[in-house]
Amino acid sequence: MAEVHISSCPLNCWDTCGFKVTVDGGKVIKVEGDDLHPITQGKICGRGRMLEARTNSKERLLYPLKKVNGEWTRVSWEQALDEIAEKMRKIKNKYGTTAVLHSHDYANNGLLKNLDRRFFNCYGGVTELTGSLCWGAGIEAQTWDFGNSYSHAPEDIYNSKHVIIWGRNVARTNMHLFGHLQSAKKQGIKLVVIDPIFNQTAQMADMYVSVTPGMDGFLAIGIMKELLRLGLEDRNFIENYTIGFEDVQTLLQSITIEEIEQLTGVERDTITSLAFIYGNRPTMTYLGLGMQRYANGGNTIRLIDALVAMSGNIGIRGGGANFGNLQVGQSFNIAALTLPERKTKSRTFTMMKQAEGILQATDPGIKMIIVTCGNPLTQVPNTNVVKRAFQSVETVVVLEQFMTDTAQLADYVLPTTTVFEEEDIYYSSMYHAYVNYGPALVQPPGEAKPDLWIWTQLANRLGFGADFSFSRDEFLQMGLSGLEKYGITLERLKKEKHLLLPVKPVPWDDYTFQTPSGKFEFTSLLAKKKGIDGQLKMMYPAESEAENKELAKKYPYRLLTIHPLRSNHSQHYHLIESMQSIKIEVSRDIAEEKGLEDGDKAKVFNDRGQLVGTVKILKKAHRKVINIDEGQWEKFGGSVNVLTSDRESDNGQGSTLYDCLVNIEKISE
Ligand code: SF4
């Protein structure tokens, strides 16, 4: 008989939904939204529902595989684990532990997914990746400004007079915020959307502002100029709770509104209207991730933070510069799970430059890569170089559920369980502060195993099995250990299914910031400590007319690589036939310039690579914009990252995936 269980979405998404999962005959047959989850309220997206198909797919990896003479051969777990452990032992003895690279990402938000780091720390410390492809520049920027990256509780939106959605298509990526926007609008709260693409969120806005991609920071400068001209800034906040305001004033004086109009494509009247909106507190700003994926991305987020601060929208109900909400992840005792003190050696590559790191590493070179929770062959920029780098390494081990592009390149593929086949707890440091419980509901197919089982087996073989001699419950309790004083225990979580973490619904309401000065820093002392001038700047994307005229002439269009609607990054493409081709979305202006029509075949290209796909004309978008959704598999046309650059953001922690100029040509069938 069918049974319904409460579980959680594990996907890397703002919403971390609660699930209602129907199991019949030992099989997951339906995934729906949990009506009782305060955020989910019974509604989930197609990506979450697809986890049923993902779990039951015939394409699941069922057995450990080893590549022998270029062909996959099924091997026993004993053989795979013995051979991998033996290679790790030899590498450690001959080259040292940092000859192993741990390449990871965030395919799953489970707390116990952190145990891969425990394994590598107990091994002795490997080469690790720092920064993030996704939001690294913005997180670092907010750390410079506020000392941390915190967001307001979702329901605080109803305390706002105006909500600005700046570069985030919440209809596609943050559906429960979209629901709040609809309700807020009904209550008379005004909605402004700033985005180069007139997306589904923009369609419901009271005001839509199209901005030139990568120039959002200049728009913030323009609004700040107008705020000061109109006397709408919050003098009390600026004088008592900030440092470096004089540097901002100098910056604002160095550019005219006319120049800003030209750079951003936004007219003066609109800039003035935005200044009035910011000055009429409380105004809540939600920042997206795309605009910080540029060489000037950290500076862009800092300029928007500065605007929110200058207008007095920090620390008040209905305000905030809402980007990440790290107070959620910081609630857990990650150190107890990962044991950083066990590391005796370490080396880091940035996430963006991992390919270059692999190819250039000496003393020691990289001899083995182990990939967890990620698919770098589609997700890391400059795919052709990433491929070359991974192919250059003697042994690549991938823990996976499916034969992804990265798994295809591996020497060993170890089959792992899905969310419904292992117990864990789930949270996301992006939007709300609920932690969800996810029980093991069905048996894994074939010989697929949880990651934790794999780490334990390898640790036993490598002589540190004692560090893994704990049950899943014990590991979960370790991660929750700092929360017991608030009454948040595993026992309660198992019973109640979701619990609200003790985080501030209105961050910075005491105006005490986690920066070196304890104030909001327009000029960052933390940046200065790192040897970087911490002042806000006038900065352009690296691939732009302002920075590289020649390149902009050769490649006149800006490529965006937004998240697909139906796949979480690369995770679902193989399960949805209609997604298995490249769609090239272009503005009407580009279509006219290049003689393109809907359905035409075209190639998008630059010096790094090219991609062929089918044209779709965007109804309304910035005139220079081309979009190709990220995450596509090689067998379905290939990743858009053959075109993107592995350059790092200005603060070194982020990617520059959107900082990418391309050209486009129609091709005959
Ligand atoms: S992908 Fe996001 S919106 Fe969709 S079900 Fe999962 S958490 Fe919810």
Side-chain angles (χ1 to χ4, degrees):
M1 204 179 75
E3 287 177 357
V4 177
H5 300 268
I6 299 302
S7 180
S8 173
C9 185
L11 298 174
N12 181 236
C13 167
W14 303 92
D15 294 46
T16 311
C17 288
F19 280 166
K20 220 164 56 179
V21 182
T22 308
V23 177
D24 196 1
K27 200 173 158 197
V28 171
I29 58 166
K30 202 195 284 176
V31 179
E32 300 165 285
D34 176 6
D35 317 85
L36 300 179
H37 191 284
I39 300 295
T40 306
Q41 297 185 13
K43 290 195 191 116
I44 58 168
C45 77
R47 300 184 295 274
R49 280 192 296 275
M50 279 303 289
L51 292 167
E52 177 269 313
R54 209 177 147 85
T55 298
N56 294 320
S57 170
K58 297 242 174 323
E59 293 174 37
R60 283 279 300 274
L61 295 168
L62 301 178
Y63 309 101
L65 297 172
K66 178 183 177 183
K67 206 175 268 164
V68 182
N69 300 325
E71 299 288 328
W72 288 113
T73 311
R74 178 179 166 181
V75 292
S76 67
W77 272 109
E78 270 320 279
Q79 184 185 339
L81 294 164
D82 284 349
E83 289 180 8
I84 293 165
E86 184 54 22
K87 283 175 191 288
M88 290 187 80
R89 190 178 300 111
K90 281 189 178 154
I91 289 170
K92 184 174 184 172
N93 292 340
K94 193 164 174 192
Y95 306 102
T97 53
T98 53
V100 175
L101 168 69
H102 176 209
S103 179
H104 69 91
D105 219 311
Y106 295 95
N108 180 305
N109 284 332
L111 181 68
L112 297 192
K113 294 299 170 194
N114 287 294
L115 290 171
D116 50 6
R117 282 153 66 199
R118 183 186 188 92
F119 172 80
F120 291 113
N121 288 341
C122 292
Y123 171 64
V126 295
T127 300
E128 297 170 277
L129 300 178
T130 58
S132 155
L133 295 171
C134 185
W135 66 354
I139 294 289
E140 182 72 357
Q142 293 215 314
T143 305
W144 291 7
D145 298 337
F146 299 90
N148 218 322
S149 181
Y150 291 171
S151 289
H152 288 227
E155 59 278 10
D156 192 44
I157 196 170
Y158 300 104
N159 294 315
S160 309
K161 284 186 193 162
H162 314 272
V163 179
I164 314 277
I165 304 290
W166 200 323
R168 189 190 299 188
N169 184 4
V170 301
R172 186 178 277 208
T173 57
N174 192 181
M175 67 176 282
H176 297 92
L177 171 56
F178 189 74
H180 281 304
L181 292 178
Q182 287 172 316
S183 309
K185 253 193 81 124
K186 280 188 195 138
Q187 293 186 19
I189 297 165
K190 297 285 177 235
L191 172 63
V192 178
V193 169
I194 304 173
D195 204 294
I197 296 179
F198 185 71
N199 53 38
Q200 300 95 314
T201 314
Q203 286 166 26
M204 68 176 288
D206 297 289
M207 179 178 176
Y208 165 65
V209 180
S210 169
V211 62
T212 305
M215 296 299 183
D216 304 80
F218 285 95
L219 179 56
I221 289 174
I223 304 169
M224 284 192 273
K225 277 179 80 76
E226 287 296 88
L227 263 178
L228 290 185
R229 185 179 68 79
L230 297 162
L232 294 172
E233 75 278 17
D234 184 342
R235 277 284 150 196
N236 176 47
F237 182 76
I238 292 168
E239 276 160 27
N240 295 305
Y241 305 109
T242 73
I243 61 163
F245 186 63
E246 53 296 339
D247 293 339
V248 184
Q249 284 177 299
T250 309
L251 179 81
L252 300 185
Q253 282 158 11
S254 66
I255 187 166
T256 65
I257 284 284
E258 291 69 32
E259 287 168 318
I260 290 168
E261 282 182 291
Q262 212 189 354
L263 288 167
T264 60
V266 182
E267 290 176 2
R268 182 187 190 126
D269 286 354
T270 306
I271 297 172
T272 309
S273 300
L274 288 167
F276 277 116
I277 287 170
Y278 271 99
N280 185 9
R281 296 186 287 276
T283 294
M284 178 172 273
T285 307
Y286 280 99
L287 295 89
L289 304 182
M291 65 185 160
Q292 43 97 60
R293 293 182 186 141
Y294 288 88
N296 60 342
N299 191 61
T300 295
I301 299 297
R302 294 197 65 217
L303 285 165
I304 297 173
D305 288 348
L307 163 62
V308 176
M310 183 193 284
S311 59
N313 282 297
I314 300 293
I316 60 167
R317 296 201 304 161
N322 300 284
F323 181 74
N325 198 3
L326 296 190
Q327 51 182 345
V328 174
Q330 288 162 1
S331 304
F332 299 96
N333 192 346
I334 301 299
L337 290 173
T338 58
L339 300 178
E341 68 279 7
R342 294 290 304 279
K343 200 188 315 191
T344 54
K345 291 235 169 63
S346 74
R347 174 168 64 181
T348 56
F349 297 159
T350 65
M351 189 72 104
M352 287 55 71
K353 295 275 183 195
Q354 58 186 285
E356 192 181 304
I358 294 164
L359 290 167
Q360 294 179 1
T362 53
D363 199 22
I366 296 295
K367 303 293 173 192
M368 179 185 263
I369 303 174
I370 301 185
V371 182
T372 62
C373 279
N375 185 8
L377 259 293
T378 68
Q379 299 309 107
V380 175
N382 212 347
T383 306
N384 293 328
V385 181
V386 179
K387 194 169 186 178
R388 192 150 47 84
F390 273 62
Q391 282 171 332
S392 74
V393 173
E394 281 168 28
T395 308
V396 177
V397 179
V398 175
L399 279 64
E400 250 303 348
Q401 296 162 1
F402 291 92
M403 191 55 81
T404 61
D405 291 356
T406 309
Q408 281 287 5
L409 270 191
D411 299 285
Y412 294 89
V413 177
L414 306 180
T416 55
T417 41
T418 69
V419 55
F420 305 125
E421 297 157 358
E422 60 184 18
E423 182 191 36
D424 210 334
I425 64 178
Y426 300 90
Y427 62 92
S428 163
S429 288
M430 295 160 78
Y431 179 48
H432 66 78
Y434 285 89
V435 54
N436 303 336
Y437 176 65
L441 297 175
V442 293
Q443 289 298 315
E447 295 177 7
K449 299 284 185 194
D451 299 20
L452 175 53
W453 182 87
I454 298 170
W455 302 132
T456 307
Q457 294 298 316
L458 285 172
N460 287 339
R461 285 165 172 78
L462 288 163
F464 53 90
D467 294 302
F468 280 84
S469 61
F470 301 94
S471 65
R472 279 189 97 84
D473 270 14
E474 285 168 331
F475 275 125
L476 288 170
Q477 276 156 351
M478 274 179 212
L480 288 167
S481 55
L483 289 162
E484 278 159 12
K485 59 178 179 282
Y486 301 102
I488 295 177
T489 60
L490 183 59
E491 202 185 359
R492 236 189 104 201
L493 194 51
K494 283 187 181 188
K495 204 164 138 213
E496 297 179 39
K497 313 301 182 195
H498 55 258
L499 292 171
L500 184 62
L501 294 164
V503 305
K504 281 195 155 200
V506 179
W508 320 118
D509 58 349
D510 57 0
Y511 294 148
T512 302
F513 296 91
Q514 294 174 24
T515 52
S517 67
K519 297 189 172 190
F520 178 90
E521 296 189 355
F522 289 111
T523 295
S524 166
L525 298 180
L526 189 65
K528 281 188 177 167
K529 273 189 191 167
K530 292 183 176 184
I532 305 163
D533 169 9
Q535 290 182 7
L536 291 167
K537 294 196 169 48
M538 217 80 81
M539 280 186 80
Y540 303 86
E543 298 193 7
S544 63
E545 176 101 356
E547 287 293 328
N548 193 336
K549 273 200 174 20
E550 283 290 294
L551 194 75
K553 207 166 154 203
K554 195 169 166 195
Y555 301 117
Y557 307 121
R558 302 214 136 270
L559 178 71
L560 305 182
T561 63
I562 67 173
H563 291 353
L565 174 64
R566 297 177 67 200
S567 178
N568 214 68
H569 304 295
S570 65
Q571 283 170 287
H572 297 343
Y573 277 96
H574 59 304
L575 303 169
I576 305 172
E577 217 180 311
S578 60
M579 290 186 76
Q580 292 165 2
S581 60
I582 305 281
K583 183 172 66 180
I584 303 169
E585 295 179 302
V586 302
S587 70
R588 278 196 185 287
D589 304 72
I590 295 174
E592 272 168 30
E593 270 169 43
K594 292 290 184 173
L596 296 167
E597 287 177 19
D598 274 331
D600 281 350
K601 280 267 171 286
K603 75 170 179 187
V604 178
F605 58 98
N606 60 17
D607 290 342
R608 289 178 286 268
Q610 71 165 43
L611 212 54
V612 172
T614 307
V615 170
K616 181 169 186 300
I617 300 170
L618 290 163
K619 283 198 183 85
K620 204 163 155 186
H622 188 277
R623 63 192 172 82
K624 293 276 189 187
V625 161
I626 295 178
N627 174 63
I628 300 175
D629 288 358
E630 50 104 17
Q632 188 62 276
W633 293 35
E634 191 169 351
K635 63 181 174 185
F636 306 130
S639 167
V640 70
N641 283 322
V642 295
L643 296 161
T644 60
S645 158
D646 57 13
R647 186 188 305 109
E648 289 165 10
S649 63
D650 45 346
N651 56 24
Q653 292 298 314
S655 67
T656 60
L657 291 164
Y658 286 22
D659 199 337
C660 181
L661 288 176
V662 293
N663 209 333
I664 184 168
E665 296 296 344
K666 184 171 166 173
I667 54 175
S668 43
E669 296 287 336

